[in-house]
Amino acid sequence: MPKFAANLSTMFTELSFLERFAAAREAGFDAVEFQFPYTCEPEWIAGRLARYNLELVLHNFPAGNWPGGDRGMACDPRRMTEFQDSVELALDYADELGVKQLHCMAGILPPHVPRARAHATYIANLRFAAAALKKKGLALLIEPINDRDVPGYFLTGSRQAASVIRECAVDNLFLQFDIYHAQRMEGDLANTIRDLLPLIRHIQLADVPGRHEPGTGEINFPYLFKLLDELGYDGWIGCEYTPAAGTLEGLRWRGTQHVAPVSAPQG
């Protein structure tokens, strides 16, 4: 069976962010991921990781003004300086938190920007970020996101991402394969995983429809987990789903013994 990391941006949201680390450990997780750490001091998060003996497997670069609709800025030619600053901030956190891979959101195609120009900007920004991360021994990940949930998102297909990785021609750029987004955009999950496995460094999951836990929708997760074992995938699978009826109740798909989470002190 693959190894699973709790996504603390979408799971255990009954608790404050810093309390979720204890809850993940008590629910049987050995690793966590989250989208954005930047509202917390890095030492607060590092303390929770150490206290509960959790590995941090992933977080994102800053995505810009998220409440204002930003979903990254890597394809926006008007924001290249801001993007470079965001890479520096992400690396500051990565140093403190011990994470080995970071995800760069492509962003939404800006109005009045030709797609070819946005593509050239995206490639240039990924090369810049990959070089900065390589100095620290880190991997850079890109993730296709479906354009039903995020209209106008620049990177929407697995094979589009594979083409971007080849064009960048750097050795620390990989694919973050999100099963939920791939099912919504493409389907054909098993064949895509087989074809692109050499590029896949991280996987995330949620079921379709609803983006809830496995077993609530149409995806045959037992088949995919078995396939990943057969293919030798040894990376983490991030559980980036919204529980349908509470986090602990939603863990039945994993066969986990449920225990009540304890509170972690703020700090």
Side-chain angles (χ1 to χ4, degrees):
M1 179 66 68
K3 52 188 184 180
F4 301 101
N7 189 302
L8 300 186
S9 296
T10 61
M11 301 175 71
F12 303 105
T13 57
E14 305 89 349
L15 304 169
S16 72
F17 178 68
L18 290 174
E19 292 175 320
R20 297 172 199 173
F21 294 84
R25 167 49 70 193
E26 291 203 18
F29 288 97
D30 295 321
V32 296
E33 63 178 29
F34 39 74
Q35 294 167 352
F36 307 107
Y38 307 108
T39 58
C40 288
E41 295 297 326
E43 58 267 26
W44 298 354
I45 300 172
R48 296 324 191 264
L49 294 169
R51 182 183 306 178
Y52 301 112
N53 192 27
L54 290 165
E55 179 179 350
L56 177 61
V57 300
L58 178 75
H59 69 76
N60 297 343
F61 288 174
N65 180 6
W66 190 272
D70 282 346
R71 293 299 181 266
M73 62 192 91
C75 72
D76 191 336
R78 304 163 301 183
R79 301 175 72 178
M80 293 184 75
T81 299
E82 184 182 357
F83 176 80
Q84 292 179 8
D85 290 342
S86 81
V87 174
E88 182 177 350
L89 179 59
L91 285 172
D92 288 344
Y93 272 78
D95 282 342
E96 187 83 22
L97 302 181
V99 69
K100 300 300 183 186
Q101 53 191 12
L102 297 172
H103 168 223
C104 172
M105 297 189 74
I108 295 169
L109 181 66
H112 313 301
V113 173
R115 189 169 185 87
R117 186 180 177 205
H119 177 84
T121 301
Y122 187 43
I123 298 297
N125 278 332
L126 288 176
R127 287 174 174 160
F128 171 86
L133 267 61
K134 187 169 184 177
K135 293 176 183 176
K136 302 285 189 176
L138 305 185
L140 175 63
L141 307 182
I142 57 173
E143 175 193 22
I145 292 177
N146 82 82
D147 59 6
R148 299 177 190 177
D149 290 356
V150 186
Y153 197 75
F154 185 76
L155 185 70
T156 59
S158 300
R159 285 168 176 80
Q160 179 193 2
S163 177
V164 166
I165 291 169
R166 288 191 293 270
E167 184 175 352
C168 284
V170 295
D171 61 7
N172 64 328
L173 177 61
F174 299 95
L175 174 61
Q176 179 173 311
F177 185 80
D178 189 302
I179 292 169
Y180 168 80
H181 291 301
Q183 176 69 1
R184 294 213 74 188
M185 287 300 296
E186 306 165 354
D188 200 23
L189 295 171
N191 283 330
T192 302
I193 290 170
R194 285 191 189 96
D195 291 346
L196 298 182
L197 188 66
L199 299 179
I200 295 173
R201 179 59 64 93
H202 187 62
I203 294 175
Q204 292 177 321
L205 62 75
D207 216 334
V208 175
R211 203 169 185 176
H212 302 310
E213 61 267 21
T216 58
E218 67 193 28
I219 299 174
N220 187 345
F221 280 101
Y223 173 82
L224 291 178
F225 296 155
K226 182 174 182 290
L227 174 66
L228 288 168
D229 282 343
E230 291 172 352
L231 295 174
Y233 176 74
D234 61 359
W236 291 95
I237 298 180
C239 300
E240 194 183 34
Y241 63 76
T242 302
T247 301
L248 293 179
E249 293 83 352
L251 287 173
R252 292 191 180 94
W253 66 272
R254 211 186 50 153
T256 302
Q257 289 257 327
H258 302 326
V259 291
V262 299
S263 294
Q266 298 288 331

